[in-house]
Every structure is written in C-alpha cells, then in structure tokens.
C-alpha cells in the first residue's frame, strides 16, 4: 500500500460547525501540509483550517452545512497527488506551548541544582542536536548545523543556561517566523477562493445561463471555444478539441465527441459540446484551484533562488569561522557566539513574505499574479505588446452600417451573418448577434458550423455555404471576389470602422461595418507605463492598416503598429522582440491570444478574457482598467526594492554581530538574541513594505467604492 493511499482520516471530535480529524497520513514527509490546508480552505463554506503534523490532526471550522462537511471529508479521503511534493517540506511549526515551556526552563536554569539542570538541559537540547546531525549527514552545512553546534558547545562546557537560552530563542524565533509567514500565506489564499460563476445549460429545449451553484447532476451543460469545462460528465452532442494540460499534464489537445467522458478544468480550444453532468459542485474545479495554489504558494522566482543560494553559501563561512576561533583561542563561549549568527534565516524568510505580501497587495488592487516569477518578471519588462481589441479598445463592438448588394434587404444580410456567428466566442460575432437581437430578427437554421480562428466562420444555410469574416479569409483563402464592395469598404475604414464581409455560395453579398471605442483611460495608462520605464509599446491587430493607424494616432505613445495579423503572427512578433533583447509583456483577452500570452515573459489577460486566455496568462486584471498595469509595475518594483533592502540589511547587521562575536564582545545568549531579533525585524519590514498600496492605485476608489472584496476573489 502506498503512502498516498492510506490510512484515511477519522473524525475524533465534532461540534456544530467544527470538527477535528486524525490520520497517520499526516506523518508522510512528502505531504505538503500548506498545500493541503489551502485546498481545504478553498472549499465553499470552510472558514478556517489548522493542521498539526505531529499531532496527526486537522481542525476544520465551517458553516455547519452537511454539504460542506461532506466536501471536506471527500477531499481528505481523496487527497490529490499534487498535494505530495517530495523534498518540499516546509519549516516545522513550533507550538506556543512548546515555546512557553522552553522559555520557563531557560529562566529557571540558574536556580536549579547541577544534578537536575544537566539532564534537563541535554534533554531540552536533544531535538536541536539531532536535527543538526541529520542535516549535516544528508544536506551538508546548513543553519541547523550552526544551531546544533552552538547548543552542543554550551552543553559540553556545562553552560546550561546559555544552551537552554539559545534553544528557547530558537523556538521563539521559529514560532514568530512561522506565524509571520503563515499570515502572508493566508492573505494570499484569500485571493484564490473561486467566485460564483455562470454556466450555459439546456433546459426545456432552450439555452439559458444559470449560477454555477445551481447546477445539478443530469444538467446538459453547453461549452464553446475558449471556455472552461465546469463539470465532470459525458459528451452527448457535438465535438471539440480539449486542452487538458491542467489535469493530465498533456500539452496536446484531445479530440472528444459524443459518448466520451470529460473532466472539469479542461479548456475547449475549438468546437462546441453539450455535456451531461455526472459530478457537480465546486470540488470539480479542484484542478483549477490547485494550479493557482501551486503557482502562488509553492514556486519561487529566479531572484529568490539566487538570494537563497547566496545565503546558503554564507553558512559554511560562519561554521568555519567558529571552528577556527575555537582551535585558535580554545574559547568555547566565543565560538558559540559566532555559531549563533546565520545569514540565511532572514534572507530565506523575508523573501517569500515580501513576495506573497506583494502578490496580496496586487490582488487587492485588482491584479491577480499567478506565482512569484510573474511578479519578478513584471519588474524587469521594458516592452509591452497590446492586442488591440478588448485591451486598448473596450472590445464592445457595435454594428454601425449594414451594406448589402443587389437589392438584398439589410436585415436579411444581418440575420444571415448573425445566424452563422451565433455561437462564435469573438467580439465581432457577439456584436453582430447583439444587433440582430436588438432588431428582433429571426435567425435562419444553421448547420455544419466551422470556426476558423482569427479569420471567420463557415456554415451551411439550406444547403448553401455561407462565409462571414475578413477580406483575407473570403478573397485569399476561399476565392470569393470582393471587388464589388471594395470602394464601400475603403470608405468605411477611413471612418475608423472594422469591416465584416458576408458571402453565400461563393458570391459576395455585402459588408457589415463595426466600431470599437477606445478605452477612456488607455492614453493615460500608456503614459503611466512610459513613466515607469517601459521603453517600447507595440499594438497588434487583425484589422486593416487604415483602421490600425487611425487608432494608434488617437492613442499616442505607441511605438510600433502591426496589422492584418493571424494568431501565429502575434506569437512570432513576440518571439522576434524577445530575440532582439526585449523583456516583454503581452496583453490580450481572446482565444487566439493564447500562443502570444504563453510566449511572452509576462502574459496579461483582461478581466473579460476567454477562459483559455485567462488560463494561459500569468497576470489577470480583475478590474476593467488599463491603469492597473502601472499599478502592477509599481507593486513589482516595490517588492524588488524590499527584497534588495532585506538582503542588504541581513548581510550588514549579521556581519556586525559576527564581528562582535569574533572579537569576544558579546556572549552566545546576546548573539542569539541579536540574530533572532534582526531576523524578525527584517521579516516584519518585508511584510509591511510590500503590503502598502501604491499611490498609483488611488483611482480605484472612484471606480469600485464597494466592490473590492468581491472582485479580488475571482480566479
């Protein structure tokens, strides 16, 4: 039987809204308790979770509903494999009771007889000594070895008060450090709880939108391109290409059709399916929640890793200096004073606290960061590439003109185009469908719909093939002669409008013009980014050259414009900029932006973006305002500055203490006190510095005076 399979959790005590469970599974060193705690805490109805590894217990406070209790028990009975991360064990939690007992024992040591103090002190120091020996044998010279050496030297010279005082201060320091780090984890976890979502279902032969929580087993859930599959179930109609990388790790899309089983968390890259739900409830979103938690709570940025590596290299220096001093002076007290000084504690603790606090601040300002590396990269970018539609513009296209040919009625052309594009998740399609509904037009029956990403739609109406899309799609790819509408289209483009071409049976029927308004804050946002060191701003669009240039001129601050692009063109431009030495972010919101979002150093998705875009991005804006990019940059810069200052403070202060200890000016107890006090001060500074909201976020008070708490919870 594997460690992952047994034993199960047993409820040992329960009152209304609170239960304590036990399991020997918690002794498994590979089980990431912080991750498991986060998974339980992300369940709806759960208020608080506490896990004690050595007590083998889990305490869960919840809303008292039977469904919540069942969810918790189900999760603990089926702990996901992701919760096991060998070699990723965190710092051991020190209980307040243990710290209090150690402090009392150290304070009473001078008044105790030698016959009682000696065995008690060796017993009290044994865990530190054993841990140091284990670390030395398996990991080399680390901070645990320094602690064990300092305690061991004091015990050997029968200085029991010093030995016990060092153990007590190590315990107190560990307790306060764990408390500080846990607070930063809890702040971050609060951003990761899933929000209530809506899904499309078929009821009474009609497609309607209902709250996610209203789903029941047997519901027919409808999902289209770019959407996240919200349930586990069986496909009953349609076919699609599913991206299941978040569940299985497989990067290639999987084709599913009628009769295939599908799992929640998969993203539909292409197609449209109807799924009979077999499992509903928020636990089906576990893969999605787990991905955010893993990125945000487990991963470290490259900068953090470099700081940790340098801190580890300083530990042997301290250890060697202590041994040399002992050999040269035979002064055990001086050697113990040196060995209580460690650079790595402050550096390794301040770094994750600063990063998590920064991520929490960004979240409450309206920016969700998926991991430490995203924050690190944001502070280094010099270029931002914008996809025009939905980022620099509102993405709310509106139909302005319907121009048919050969006496065809405008409403007939519009209804034909809307019928073909009714289920296409693209801003242009949504605008055409919305206009047809506003006019109350009945849509013709459509069959064999084929969505060609970034080009258009092909569908059949009464046996005739209808094409709706760009001029390039109809004329270059499908061979439709668009000359009859060329002058009309050119005139409309000069007005800054986008053009949609409509053809049937290989003959052009007319054009539909649409306009997309610029975001009112876009020009200000671009100026703010320039002030923050962004040297190059690039705009990409699938629009015609005239439309693209008109928008760029209106915005100002744009250094490059690329038009009439395909999705693969966008990713290619991103790679070209990277190869020329730029560190860049890409901002987009559509299904066809996913390749570019993945290619960029930082992928940024707008709040109304498709699920595939949100899944691909490292940064998700939670408020519909481009100025949040400048806010995110400020948070990233402040976090980087805090990390640099904490590193300098840790090295500077500990070097001073080390020098004083080397010269014999301070005792081991004073040295241990100064080291632990400096660590706590540095960690507290890291948390406080990174939790302050930047002044650039003041505009948020005007746009969301009472919505901040609800928005930051959206994943």
């Amino acid at each position: 039987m594997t460690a992952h399979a047994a034993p199960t959790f047993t409820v040992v005590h329960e009152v209304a809204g609170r239960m304590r469970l036990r399991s020997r599974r918690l002794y498994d060193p590979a089980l990431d308790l912080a991750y498991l705690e986060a998974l339980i805490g992300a369940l709806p109805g759960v208020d608080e979770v506490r896990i004690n590894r050595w007590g083998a217990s889990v305490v869960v406070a919840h809303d008292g509903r039977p469904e919540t209790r069942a969810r918790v028990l189900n999760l603990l009975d089926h702990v996901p494999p992701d919760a096991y991360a060998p070699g990723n064990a965190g710092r051991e939690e020190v209980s307040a009771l243990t710290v209090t007992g150690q402090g009392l024992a150290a304070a009473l040591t001078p008044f105790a007889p030698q016959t009682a103090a000696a065995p008690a002190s060796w017993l009290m120091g044994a865990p530190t000594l054993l841990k140091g020996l284990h670390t030395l044998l398996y990991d080399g010279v680390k901070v645990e070895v320094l602690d064990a050496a300092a305690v061991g030297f004091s015990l050997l010279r029968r200085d029991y008060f010093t030995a016990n005082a060092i153990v007590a201060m190590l315990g107190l320091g560990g307790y306060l450090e764990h408390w500080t780090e846990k607070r930063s984890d809890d702040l971050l976890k609060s951003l990761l709880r899933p929000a209530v979502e809506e899904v499309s279902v078929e009821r009474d032969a009609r497609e309607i939108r209902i709250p996610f929580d209203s789903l029941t087993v047997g519901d027919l859930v409808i999902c289209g391109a770019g959407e996240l599959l919200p349930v586990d179930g069986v496909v009953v109609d349609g076919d699609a290409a599913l991206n299941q990388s978040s569940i299985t790790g497989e990067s290639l899309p999987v084709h599913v059709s009628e009769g295939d089983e599908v799992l929640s968390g998969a993203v539909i890259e292409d197609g449209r399916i109807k799924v009979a739900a077999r499992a509903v409830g928020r636990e089906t979103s576990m893969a999605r929640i787990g991905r955010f938690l893993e990125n945000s709570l487990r991963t470290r940025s490259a900068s953090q890793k470099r700081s940790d590596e340098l801190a580890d290299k300083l530990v042997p220096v301290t250890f060697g200096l202590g041994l040399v001093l002992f050999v040269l002076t035979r002064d055990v007290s001086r050697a113990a004073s040196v060995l209580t000084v460690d650079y790595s504690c402050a550096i390794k603790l301040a770094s994750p606290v600063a990063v998590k606090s920064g991520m929490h601040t960004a979240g409450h300002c309206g920016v969700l960061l998926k991991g430490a590396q995203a924050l690190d990269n944001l502070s280094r970018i010099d270029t931002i590439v914008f996809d025009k539609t939905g980022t620099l513009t509102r993405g709310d296209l509106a139909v302005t003109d319907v121009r048919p040919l050969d006496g065809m009625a405008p409403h007939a052309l519009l209804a034909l185009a809307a019928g073909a594009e009714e289920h296409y998740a693209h801003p242009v399609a949504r605008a055409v469908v919305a206009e047809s509904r506003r006019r109350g037009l009945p849509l013709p029956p459509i069959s064999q719909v084929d969505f060609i990403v970034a080009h258009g739609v092909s569908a059949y109406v009464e046996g005739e093939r209808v094409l709706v899309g760009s001029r390039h799609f109809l004329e270059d790819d499908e061979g439709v002669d668009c000359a009859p509408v060329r002058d009309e289209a050119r005139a409309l483009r000069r007005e800054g409008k986008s053009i949609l071409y409509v053809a049937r049976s290989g003959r052009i029927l007319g054009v539909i013009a649409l306009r997309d308004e610029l975001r009112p804050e876009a020009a200000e946002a671009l100026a703010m980014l320039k002030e923050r060191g962004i040297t190059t701003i690039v705009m990409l669009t699938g629009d015609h050259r005239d439309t693209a240039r008109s928008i760029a001129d209106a915005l100002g601050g744009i250094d490059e414009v690329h038009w009439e692009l395909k999705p693969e063109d966008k990713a290619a431009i991103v790679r070209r900029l990277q190869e020329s030495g730029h560190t860049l972010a890409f901002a987009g919101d559509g299904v066809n932006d996913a390749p570019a979002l993945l290619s960029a150093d930082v992928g940024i998705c707008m709040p109304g973006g498709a699920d595939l875009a949100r899944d691909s991005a490292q940064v998700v804006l939670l408020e519909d305002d481009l100025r949040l990019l400048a806010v995110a940059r400020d948070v990233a810069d402040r976090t980087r500055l805090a990390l640099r200052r904490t590193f300098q403070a840790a090295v500077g202060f500990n070097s001073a203490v080390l020098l004083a200890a080397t010269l014999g000016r301070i005792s081991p107890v004073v040295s241990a006190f100064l080291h632990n006090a400096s660590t706590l001060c540095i960690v507290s500074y890291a948390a406080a510095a990174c939790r302050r909201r930047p002044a650039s976020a003041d505009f948020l008070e005007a746009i969301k005076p009472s919505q901040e708490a609800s928005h930051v919870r959206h994943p």
Side-chain angles (χ1 to χ4, degrees), residues 181-356:
E181 191 169 12
K182 189 174 186 302
R183 278 198 66 194
S184 66
D185 279 355
D186 290 341
L187 288 172
L188 190 56
K189 290 172 192 174
S190 70
L191 301 177
L192 303 173
R193 293 176 183 268
V196 175
E197 301 172 0
E198 287 191 341
V199 294
S200 295
V201 298
E202 182 181 294
R203 289 185 179 173
D204 299 325
R206 292 188 305 115
E207 181 177 334
I208 60 172
R209 300 281 292 177
I210 65 170
F212 180 82
D213 287 339
S214 299
L215 277 175
T216 59
V217 173
D219 269 336
L220 297 179
V221 181
I222 302 171
C223 295
E227 295 181 341
L228 189 82
L229 195 61
V231 296
D232 299 339
V234 177
V235 178
V236 295
D237 186 35
D239 62 289
L242 295 188
N243 183 332
Q244 302 184 114
S245 59
S246 62
I247 305 169
T248 65
E250 174 57 50
S251 58
L252 295 176
V254 176
H255 181 267
V256 296
S257 57
E258 187 175 344
D260 290 334
E261 293 189 1
V262 291
L263 298 175
S264 67
V267 175
I268 300 175
E269 290 196 349
D270 190 21
R272 179 178 169 85
I273 53 176
K274 188 184 298 181
V275 178
R278 284 187 173 178
V280 298
R282 291 191 186 276
E283 59 268 22
T284 60
S285 298
M286 194 60 67
R288 188 183 195 185
I289 298 167
R291 182 170 64 256
F292 281 120
L293 291 170
E294 182 174 2
N295 286 339
S296 301
L297 297 176
R298 284 180 169 179
T299 60
R300 295 179 302 159
S301 68
S303 297
Q304 287 178 278
K305 291 174 183 176
R306 286 194 297 271
S307 296
D308 289 356
E309 289 168 1
L310 181 56
D312 282 338
K313 290 177 181 177
L314 293 173
V315 173
V317 174
T318 303
F319 187 71
L321 180 60
L323 292 182
V324 169
L325 271 177
F326 176 69
V327 172
L328 295 178
T329 66
R330 297 294 174 180
D331 188 336
V332 175
S333 178
R334 187 183 297 190
S337 297
V338 168
L339 292 171
T340 57
V341 180
D342 167 48
Y343 293 91
S344 67
C345 277
I347 295 171
K348 287 188 173 183
L349 284 168
S351 178
V353 166
V355 168
K356 291 169 185 175

Side-chain angles (χ1 to χ4, degrees), residues 25 31 64 99-100 152 161 213 217 255 308 378 383 452 463 466 476 491 536 548 575 580 666 699:
R25 187 182 299 186
L31 182 59
V99 170
T100 303
F161 170 71
D213 287 339
V217 173
H255 181 267
D308 289 356
L378 267 177
T383 301
I452 298 89
V466 174
D476 298 342
T536 307
R575 286 192 294 270
S580 63
I666 55 177
F699 72 88

Side-chain angles (χ1 to χ4, degrees), residues 34-43 75 79-80 82-83 286 289-290 293:
Y35 185 71
L36 179 61
E37 193 174 280
L39 287 179
I40 300 171
L43 294 175
L75 174 60
V79 177
D82 282 349
M286 194 60 67
I289 298 167
L293 291 170

Side-chain angles (χ1 to χ4, degrees), residues 242 248 341 614 662 683 700:
L242 295 188
T248 65
V341 180
R614 296 166 72 85
T662 302
V683 171
L700 289 169

Side-chain angles (χ1 to χ4, degrees), residues 529-550:
L529 290 170
K530 289 280 189 177
E531 291 171 1
R532 284 156 177 78
I534 303 301
T535 58
T536 307
I537 295 178
V538 182
M539 186 181 84
L540 310 182
T541 178
D543 283 344
H544 189 272
R545 176 187 60 191
D546 296 342
T547 304
R549 285 179 170 173
S550 173

